[in-house]
Amino acid sequence: MVRRLAGPTARPPGVSTATRATGTGTVKSADRALDILELLAASGRSLGHAELARRTGIPKSSLTMMLRNLVDRGYVAVDPVEGPTGYRLGDSTYALARQGARVRDIVAVAQPALERLTRRVDESSALYLLRDDMAERVCSARSERALLYAMHVGVRAPLYANSAGKLFLAWKSARERERYLAALDMAPLTDRTLRSPVQLRRQLPRIRQEQAAYSLGEFTPGVAGVSVPVLDPHGKLLAGVGVALPEARLDEPCRQRLLAALRACAAEISAALELRRG
């Protein structure tokens, strides 16, 4: 949506759906929703129902239902000045754009840092973001070792079973953390997955204090995860950066070496993000 508006090949605003060729396999309702959002974004002002119908070519009855859905989800808002017939982009649209830009920035900065980290420690590494009470792997670098754990992008892990996930839990407010724990169904992923919120709760103060978290065969049998936080200058948690390796390799000298490398990588990512934002 945002990309099409910004790009040089974006469709000029006001071109109706009826005049545009429909690509094979497209979903008409999805296309129409994007037409509405693109038109509101390009107009820079509130538009009434009649003007939206005329400029998009969407039948008025269908437009009414689509606007109702978009307003309910916060992607379109009723303009308080124009009244119930004026529509503008809603807060959810701007939040989605900001989130997308934030993820692009983090991945652009983190990917080369992860590659340097993996060369330094010779273990697979990844960056995680918090997604709906899950830790999502958004970029990674793979070790060249014969015995390794491949960290595929897009994988989501429960917070209670993943080292980066435990970081996200430790940095939640007390109220958010207790709400999460109260509703938690700790489905076992391996025979070493934590089974009780009490066990998990005991780990969190130490994770926050040491700024490091571990998953020892809790998400994947035989695989250890070690993660540290990526913090902004105010101490806000931005992401988790971690490595995964066979548990047999994680002795104390290895753990200390990994922590030093991870903390240097996290600091590098944090500093680079500040430069991009400054």
Side-chain angles (χ1 to χ4, degrees):
M1 177 185 63
V2 176
R3 184 175 66 255
R4 289 175 63 189
L5 279 174
T9 59
R11 178 170 50 85
V15 177
S16 72
T17 307
T19 63
R20 178 164 42 85
T22 302
T24 303
T26 59
V27 178
K28 191 174 185 180
S29 59
D31 224 15
R32 285 176 168 178
L34 292 173
D35 287 341
I36 294 168
L37 295 174
E38 289 181 350
L39 181 55
L40 289 174
S43 67
R45 61 182 176 86
S46 296
L47 299 178
H49 189 283
E51 186 175 0
L52 282 168
R54 176 177 59 81
R55 294 180 64 179
T56 62
I58 301 173
K60 290 184 178 180
S61 58
S62 299
L63 179 62
T64 298
M65 296 300 294
M66 298 195 78
L67 286 170
R68 185 177 302 162
N69 287 348
L70 290 169
V71 169
D72 285 347
R73 296 286 295 272
Y75 290 99
V76 170
V78 177
D79 193 306
V81 176
E82 296 292 331
T85 60
Y87 297 93
R88 59 175 174 79
L89 289 180
D91 291 343
S92 292
T93 300
Y94 295 110
L96 187 64
R98 286 193 299 270
Q99 183 183 37
R102 173 177 166 266
V103 172
R104 285 196 303 271
D105 282 349
I106 289 178
V107 170
V109 164
Q111 187 62 51
L114 290 177
E115 290 169 3
R116 286 189 287 273
L117 171 64
T118 288
R119 286 196 297 269
R120 178 178 175 182
V121 301
D122 202 14
E123 302 290 359
S124 297
S125 62
L127 187 89
Y128 293 84
L129 295 179
L130 180 63
R131 301 280 203 217
D132 301 324
D133 284 338
M134 300 284 279
E136 181 177 345
R137 201 177 294 150
V138 296
C139 57
S140 66
R142 182 169 174 168
S143 167
E144 296 300 321
R145 282 180 181 254
L147 182 60
L148 58 84
Y149 178 68
M151 303 177 79
H152 300 292
V153 171
V155 171
R156 290 188 176 193
L159 301 185
Y160 62 85
N162 173 269
S163 58
K166 292 179 183 180
L167 291 174
F168 295 131
L169 272 179
W171 260 262
K172 282 180 178 288
S173 69
R175 184 176 180 180
E176 290 176 329
R177 185 165 57 247
E178 289 308 313
R179 186 185 300 121
Y180 170 85
L181 292 172
L184 184 58
D185 176 16
M186 299 180 73
L189 304 175
T190 75
D191 60 2
R192 296 180 65 185
T193 303
L194 298 180
R195 304 295 178 92
S196 164
V198 174
Q199 292 176 292
L200 181 58
R201 190 182 282 108
R202 286 172 181 162
Q203 290 187 9
L204 300 180
R206 184 173 181 178
I207 289 170
R208 186 70 182 256
Q209 180 181 6
E210 296 183 355
Q211 297 197 3
Y214 304 89
S215 173
L216 303 175
E218 299 161 45
F219 183 61
T220 304
V223 174
V226 184
S227 292
V228 303
V230 178
L231 304 173
D232 73 5
H234 307 289
K236 178 182 177 183
L237 181 63
L238 302 175
V241 61
V243 295
L245 66 158
E247 280 191 85
R249 285 208 289 265
L250 190 63
D251 57 16
E252 184 59 20
C254 175
R255 187 181 74 86
Q256 293 297 334
R257 182 172 60 91
L258 291 177
L259 285 176
L262 282 165
R263 286 169 176 152
C265 180
E268 178 186 346
I269 293 170
S270 180
L273 285 172
E274 280 302 302
L275 285 176
R276 289 176 75 96
R277 292 169 184 171

